[in-house]
Amino acid sequence: MEVIYVDHAATSPLHPDVLEKMLPYYQTLFGNPSSIHQVGRQARQALDQARSRLASLFAVSEQTLVFTSGGTEADNMAIIGYALENENKGKHIITSQIEHHAVLHACEELEKRGFEVTYLPVDETGRVRLNDVQKSLRNDTILVTLMFGNNEVGTIQPIKEIGELIENHQAVFHTDAVQACGGINLKLDELKIDMLSVSAHKINGPKGIGLLYIRNGVKVKPVLFGGEQEKKRRAGTENVAAIVGFAKALELALESMTKRQELYQQFAQILTDTWLKEKVEFMINGHQHERLPHVLNVSFPGVNIESLLMNLDLAGICASSGSACTAGSIEPSHVLVAMFGQATERIQSAVRFSFGLGNTIEEIEHVASQTAQIVKRLGQQKEFIS
């Protein structure tokens, strides 16, 4: 049975060109970039070239980029590192209720250390309100951290407007752009962003590598201690092969971005048109226009999400839910709860389809028709049992 992978927002396959670029740094150019001999110098040269290429693609200076083990470490470094370094200015942080757990749990850790965190609500599209951001700003606010594009429903936040709103405040602005990177143009040179987290494995790069952009002048306390790598900001031997792969992956993603955006919009249209034709009841979750093109989150009223995902998997379709599985039970997605409330059935029947490398129109047509059949079958079973 052919397996169709539509869970690219969770992780993405390594692009063949990225693998080819990485292999020499596992096999022959394997040196430690801190070593002064020729093998080490070769690794250092590759590291410097990759950093320069990434800086060019992000339109920032090289010294603003700190390599990390992924998006989680980048978020933790930005939030905990900045808070601890600047707590003399205040101990208040603003975030939202729909952030990735790498942000939410970092904020919860800071609360244990005496910081105060405001968790902004969102509207039914998953967007924060500018007025709420403005009302939450205080004299002791030191950090605002709001994600660029949501990993579950794809909603894009008004990042430009938020940055302009707090530009003249002492608070710095961090955004988790892990899901947005490579899918939309981040335009760092035009945005009032002080720190930004990204990860390679969402854009057909390797797992285990990410980076944190830190605007010049922003001071962050290290969260790892050891050597003096990354200008003493992040200890540990740099993952040269992965960094080289990261640069290649972002290059490929930006080159194909417009074409992929159009293709993914076509995929979403195929899914929704098929379900309408098959008379399947569904509701799209997230903003209709300000959204990441590769993410489509849909609720199928009356259908148990665990049963739906299991039946999709049996049909060879790999999709996911934003819900977390704990001790064998599905807990509602914190993102959907923030958008719609705890009581609505909508949060119990939501599935995320996310598109990426290798997906074809034929595959998506198959996903659409199989999903329609499964949803109708599960719905019929429910009616029969009741």
Side-chain angles (χ1 to χ4, degrees):
M1 180 176 59
E2 180 188 4
V3 174
I4 299 176
Y5 185 79
V6 279
D7 196 21
H8 293 263
T11 195
S12 62
L14 195 67
H15 194 291
D17 292 352
V18 172
L19 176 60
E20 183 181 358
K21 194 80 173 178
M22 293 171 62
L23 282 176
Y25 300 94
Y26 286 123
Q27 297 169 322
T28 56
L29 305 175
F30 53 81
N32 186 323
S34 296
S35 300
I36 62 173
H37 49 62
Q38 57 182 300
V39 178
R41 292 198 305 272
Q42 289 172 334
R44 170 58 59 182
Q45 183 180 23
L47 174 62
D48 291 344
Q49 288 175 346
R51 190 192 307 273
S52 176
R53 184 59 179 145
L54 284 162
S56 175
L57 293 170
F58 281 119
V60 298
S61 59
E62 295 175 27
Q63 64 265 28
T64 62
L65 302 183
V66 180
F67 291 114
T68 67
S69 63
T72 293
E73 186 191 338
D75 284 341
N76 275 252
M77 183 178 183
I79 296 166
I80 296 177
Y82 186 83
L84 296 181
E85 179 68 22
N86 296 277
E87 60 183 315
N88 61 307
K89 300 176 183 177
K91 303 188 79 170
H92 179 237
I93 295 164
I94 297 172
T95 188
S96 82
Q97 296 174 3
I98 64 162
E99 299 298 308
H100 190 278
H101 283 113
V103 169
L104 292 176
H105 290 168
C107 288
E108 289 169 9
E109 175 61 27
L110 286 175
E111 287 182 293
K112 296 174 185 175
R113 303 190 191 191
F115 288 81
E116 184 180 351
V117 181
T118 296
Y119 297 90
L120 297 176
V122 294
D123 62 23
E124 286 200 348
T125 72
R127 287 193 120 201
V128 299
R129 302 170 183 87
L130 287 174
N131 189 45
D132 285 344
V133 178
Q134 188 166 28
K135 286 191 300 184
S136 298
L137 284 169
R138 307 185 330 203
N139 291 335
D140 63 338
T141 305
I142 58 171
L143 174 67
V144 177
T145 174
L146 296 166
M147 70 193 329
F148 209 113
N150 187 264
N151 54 300
E152 291 190 26
V153 298
T155 296
I156 297 172
Q157 299 299 335
I159 296 298
K160 184 175 185 293
E161 293 80 0
I162 294 169
E164 292 171 350
L165 178 65
I166 66 176
E167 183 180 10
N168 296 319
H169 192 281
Q170 73 157 355
V172 301
F173 185 23
H174 165 253
T175 184
D176 177 335
V178 167
Q179 205 62 239
C181 180
I184 58 175
N185 194 338
L186 298 180
K187 297 182 180 177
L188 286 189
D189 53 338
E190 298 178 13
L191 299 173
K192 309 294 183 181
I193 293 172
D194 298 295
M195 295 185 286
L196 175 138
S197 305
V198 294
S199 180
H201 79 102
K202 307 291 189 180
I203 57 170
N204 308 116
K207 295 177 179 66
I209 189 68
L211 64 80
L212 177 65
Y213 159 74
I214 307 175
R215 186 184 295 278
N216 284 325
V218 174
K219 302 296 183 183
V220 175
K221 186 182 290 291
V223 294
L224 294 178
F225 301 92
E228 298 186 352
Q229 292 89 352
E230 297 299 294
K231 299 186 183 298
K232 301 183 181 181
R233 295 174 295 187
R234 199 274 186 183
T237 301
E238 295 93 344
N239 188 343
V240 178
I243 291 168
V244 168
F246 193 174
K248 184 63 177 178
L250 184 59
E251 182 181 279
L252 292 169
L254 295 182
E255 285 175 358
S256 63
M257 185 171 62
T258 301
K259 184 181 293 185
R260 286 185 295 108
Q261 288 173 346
E262 294 171 355
L263 182 62
Y264 299 159
Q265 288 169 3
Q266 188 177 358
F267 287 171
Q269 196 67 51
I270 289 170
L271 290 172
T272 56
D273 285 351
T274 301
W275 297 333
L276 287 170
K277 181 181 177 182
E278 294 289 334
K279 295 183 171 54
V280 170
E281 185 183 355
F282 68 93
M283 294 173 286
I284 297 176
N285 302 316
H287 202 284
Q288 296 300 302
H289 308 294
E290 297 297 327
R291 62 185 302 118
L292 300 174
H294 69 292
V295 176
L296 181 67
N297 189 296
V298 186
S299 290
F300 297 98
V303 175
N304 177 274
I305 185 58
E306 194 170 4
S307 298
L308 176 56
L309 290 175
M310 188 180 303
N311 277 270
L312 285 171
D313 191 40
L314 290 171
I317 298 168
C318 301
S320 72
S321 166
S323 305
C325 183
T326 306
S329 64
I330 294 288
E331 297 294 331
S333 154
H334 71 284
V335 174
L336 295 178
V337 169
M339 291 167 61
F340 303 117
Q342 186 78 44
T344 176
E345 185 190 15
R346 188 167 183 165
I347 67 174
Q348 302 288 352
S349 59
V351 60
R352 181 188 67 188
F353 300 93
S354 50
F355 318 121
L357 181 67
N359 288 146
T360 63
I361 289 175
E362 292 73 24
E363 282 187 342
I364 302 304
E365 289 173 342
H366 182 72
V367 169
S369 103
Q370 284 292 306
T371 303
Q373 291 178 35
I374 293 168
V375 167
K376 287 194 285 188
R377 185 170 71 246
L378 293 175
Q380 289 169 358
Q381 286 176 353
K382 182 180 178 182
E383 290 174 4
F384 179 76
I385 292 169
S386 61

